[in-house]
């Protein structure tokens, strides 16, 4: 029976979702600036704990919203990993208390990957004195835990995209106004320009996805700010990340003819753009000469080839997680301290080819399904991040990877759509654009 009387529970939920997230971020920044990071962390932990019980999905959104603020206040510190670990532990305990969780293929894959990485770290096949290897392994395990809890208690996909776009736009504004540069390339948060660009590519994709699928032009503001910041990083990997995600957004739901035309246009831009960039003095390359770029590419190519050889020589357990940079420095073929700059190769070399196969299967299960419009934005985020893993070791950086972990968990929680593809109907005939 419909009484027309508002539901108090729905009103409180809406208040938490619309007011709680911005308030939490503002309070955390204020306390961290004027009362120290420890005070901010304590208040955030208490608020997070109060939210977890009634609304675990909102708690995940709150964590996602706080990532840029915490990264700006405590760059490279332990606050963000501690918050993420606390969220995983609290949500797992809540799921155990409430019950109802079932062991599915996705959780098994996550467990197997976590076990394989842990074994490779505990029992390395090569002995090198690597500092803080436990921290690197722990960050990856926390990320896998975020996938699991997001799959068990998935937040609303549209809210995830909105939080990623809004917080990312705020982060881009902060970085541009701060104006911290290294060799004429935008940097900050304790990250080099390539990783800053990767952190900003995901909110760019989310904002453009919201503009297309929700027809809310207000999201063009964070999209424009993110574009400016990504260009200032001069990161080739970030450009590819953004292009992959935007291609997913633009191609979804299009008729075949339009897909072909857009695909050919993207291919043409990809072929023409490198030569165009070389002729634009100081623009999009931060003053880096072609010789410098070629040398950088050559070193990364050698590191990739070494990682392939290592993976083939140690296919089951790898050489040990977080060991490859030291292995590369001791190798006569390379002789410098360098990571793989490709997380797929890193998993294969350090944890074994079996772990890489499990990881690719997990990605496939989340990203290769048919999705509705709201989930398509998260799918585009996943595609963008998956492309970025070809150029960076971002799995253990929570500033970059937290939006991906939560998005992938939400995608895994949605059952596969085996019926007819209605996506084209949903996105090809949208309502007229609104102001918000």
């Amino acid at each position: 029976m419909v009484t027309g009387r508002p539901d108090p529970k729905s009103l409180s939920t809406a208040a938490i979702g619309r007011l709680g997230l911005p308030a939490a971020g503002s309070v955390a920044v204020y306390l961290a600036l004027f009362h120290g990071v420890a005070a901010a962390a304590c208040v955030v932990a208490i608020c997070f704990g109060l939210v977890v019980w009634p609304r675990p999905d909102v708690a995940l959104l709150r964590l996602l919203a706080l990532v840029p603020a915490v990264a700006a206040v405590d760059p490279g510190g332990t606050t963000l990993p501690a918050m993420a670990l606390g969220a995983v532990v609290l949500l797992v305990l809540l799921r155990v208390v409430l019950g109802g969780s079932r062991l599915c293929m996705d959780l098994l894959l996550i467990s197997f990957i976590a076990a394989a990485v842990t074994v490779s770290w505990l029992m390395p096949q090569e002995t090198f004195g690597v500092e803080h290897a436990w921290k690197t392994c722990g960050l990856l395990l926390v990320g896998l835990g975020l996938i699991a809890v997001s799959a068990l208690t998935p937040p609303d996909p549209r809210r995830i995209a909105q939080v990623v776009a809004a917080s990312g736009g705020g982060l881009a504004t902060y970085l541009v106004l701060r104006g911290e540069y290294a060799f004429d390339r935008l940097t900050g948060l304790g990250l080099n320009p390539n990783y800053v660009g990767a952190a900003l590519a995901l909110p760019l994709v989310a904002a453009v996805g919201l503009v297309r699928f929700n027809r809310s032009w207000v999201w063009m503001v964070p999209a424009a700010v993110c574009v400016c910041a990504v260009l200032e990083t001069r990161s080739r990997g970030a450009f590819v990340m953004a292009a992959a995600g935007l291609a997913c957004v633009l191609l979804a739901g299009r008729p075949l003819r339009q897909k072909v035309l857009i695909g050919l246009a993207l291919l043409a831009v990809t072929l023409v753009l490198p030569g165009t960039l070389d002729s634009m003095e100081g623009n999009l390359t931060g003053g880096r000469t072609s010789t410098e770029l070629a040398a950088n590419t050559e070193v990364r190519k050698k590191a990739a080839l070494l990682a392939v050889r290592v993976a083939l020589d140690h296919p089951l357990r790898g050489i040990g997680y977080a060991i490859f940079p030291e292995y590369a420095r001791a190798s006569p073929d390379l002789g410098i301290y360098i990571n793989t700059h490709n997380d797929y190769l890193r998993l294969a070399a350090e944890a074994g080819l079996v772990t890489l196969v499990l990881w690719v299967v997990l990605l496939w299960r989340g990203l290769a399904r048919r999705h509705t419009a709201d989930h398509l934005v998260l799918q585009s985020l996943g595609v963008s991040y998956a492309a970025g893993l070809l150029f960076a070791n971002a799995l253990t950086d929570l500033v970059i990877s937290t939006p991906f972990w939560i998005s992938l968990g939400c995608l895994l929680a949605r059952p596969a759509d085996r019926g007819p593809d209605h996506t084209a109907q949903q996105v090809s005939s949208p309502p007229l654009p609104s102001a918000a």
Side-chain angles (χ1 to χ4, degrees):
M1 179 179 179
V2 179
T3 61
R5 186 176 302 171
D7 185 2
K9 184 176 180 180
S10 63
L11 292 177
S12 62
T13 300
I16 291 175
R18 294 181 179 275
L19 302 178
L21 297 178
S26 303
V27 170
V29 172
Y30 171 80
L31 290 174
L33 291 176
F34 298 101
H35 298 281
V37 176
C42 291
V43 173
V44 170
I46 293 173
C47 295
F48 189 85
L50 294 176
V51 174
V52 163
W53 181 264
R55 289 301 305 273
D57 55 331
V58 173
L60 283 173
L61 291 175
R62 179 164 296 182
L63 171 67
L64 190 58
L66 287 173
V67 167
V70 173
V73 173
D74 187 26
T78 59
T79 305
L80 180 56
M83 286 175 52
L85 177 60
V88 171
V89 172
L90 285 175
L91 290 171
V92 168
L93 291 177
L94 177 63
R95 178 56 58 181
V96 171
V97 171
L98 295 180
S101 61
R102 57 187 180 85
L103 196 62
C104 61
M105 178 60 69
D106 299 324
L107 294 181
L108 285 175
L109 285 172
I110 294 171
S111 301
F112 289 153
I113 295 172
V117 171
T118 303
V119 169
S120 69
W121 165 62
L122 291 175
M123 296 184 294
Q125 300 196 45
E126 299 287 343
T127 56
F128 292 97
V130 180
E131 296 183 1
H132 306 300
W134 63 270
K135 181 179 179 181
T136 304
C137 180
L139 289 172
L140 180 56
L141 295 179
V142 169
L144 294 173
L146 286 175
I147 296 180
V149 296
S150 301
L152 293 173
T153 56
D156 180 76
R158 183 178 300 184
R159 296 292 180 228
I160 294 176
Q162 291 173 343
V163 170
V164 171
S167 60
L171 177 62
T173 303
Y174 167 79
L175 292 174
V176 171
L177 293 178
R178 185 179 177 87
E180 185 177 348
Y181 287 83
F183 302 103
D184 296 327
R185 302 174 66 194
L186 183 66
T187 185
L189 308 179
L191 304 174
N192 66 43
N194 294 326
Y195 284 75
V196 172
L200 297 175
L202 297 183
L204 168 60
V205 173
V208 174
L210 289 169
V211 171
R212 186 191 174 203
F213 297 128
N214 294 341
R215 297 299 171 176
S216 181
W217 291 100
V218 71
W219 295 107
M220 286 299 297
V221 176
V225 177
C226 288
V227 167
C228 295
V230 169
L231 291 176
E232 287 296 308
T233 65
R234 318 308 200 224
S235 171
R236 292 173 291 175
F239 296 160
V240 173
M241 284 183 66
L246 293 177
C248 188
V249 168
L250 296 176
L251 293 177
R254 301 283 188 184
L256 180 59
R257 181 179 301 178
Q258 293 185 16
K259 286 184 177 181
V260 172
L261 293 176
I262 294 175
L264 291 176
L266 291 174
L267 179 61
V269 171
T270 303
L271 294 176
V272 173
L273 188 59
T276 304
L277 294 181
D278 291 338
S279 64
M280 296 171 63
E281 182 180 0
N283 192 15
L284 297 180
T285 58
R288 293 187 293 174
T289 63
S290 59
T291 303
E292 180 184 353
L293 293 174
N296 190 9
T297 301
E298 184 64 24
V299 171
R300 293 191 181 192
K301 185 186 300 184
K302 291 182 179 180
L305 292 175
L306 178 62
V308 171
R309 290 198 297 269
V310 170
L312 294 177
D313 292 338
H314 305 84
L316 294 180
R317 294 204 333 256
I319 58 174
Y321 200 72
I323 285 181
F324 183 84
E326 290 290 349
Y327 186 92
R329 178 157 56 183
S331 172
D333 298 329
L334 198 55
I336 60 174
Y337 185 91
I338 186 174
N339 214 326
T340 61
H341 289 279
N342 182 314
D343 256 327
Y344 301 105
L345 292 179
R346 182 182 188 180
L347 282 176
E350 295 183 343
L353 289 172
V354 176
T355 306
L356 175 61
V357 171
L358 294 175
W359 172 247
V360 172
V361 171
L362 184 66
L363 284 180
W364 180 265
R365 289 179 60 83
L367 301 181
R369 300 173 177 177
R370 296 175 181 174
H371 293 290
T372 58
D374 288 338
H375 286 84
L376 272 171
V377 182
L378 303 189
Q379 187 181 34
S380 302
L381 287 178
V383 171
S384 176
Y385 186 85
L389 294 182
L390 294 169
F391 306 97
N393 300 111
L395 282 176
T396 55
D397 195 314
L398 292 177
V399 178
I400 303 172
S401 60
T402 300
F404 166 75
W405 298 127
I406 296 177
S407 298
L408 181 60
C410 186
L411 293 173
L412 292 172
R414 183 176 179 271
D417 184 5
R418 302 183 183 277
D421 188 3
H422 300 292
T423 304
Q425 299 178 6
Q426 296 178 8
V427 299
S428 61
S429 300
L432 293 176
S434 59

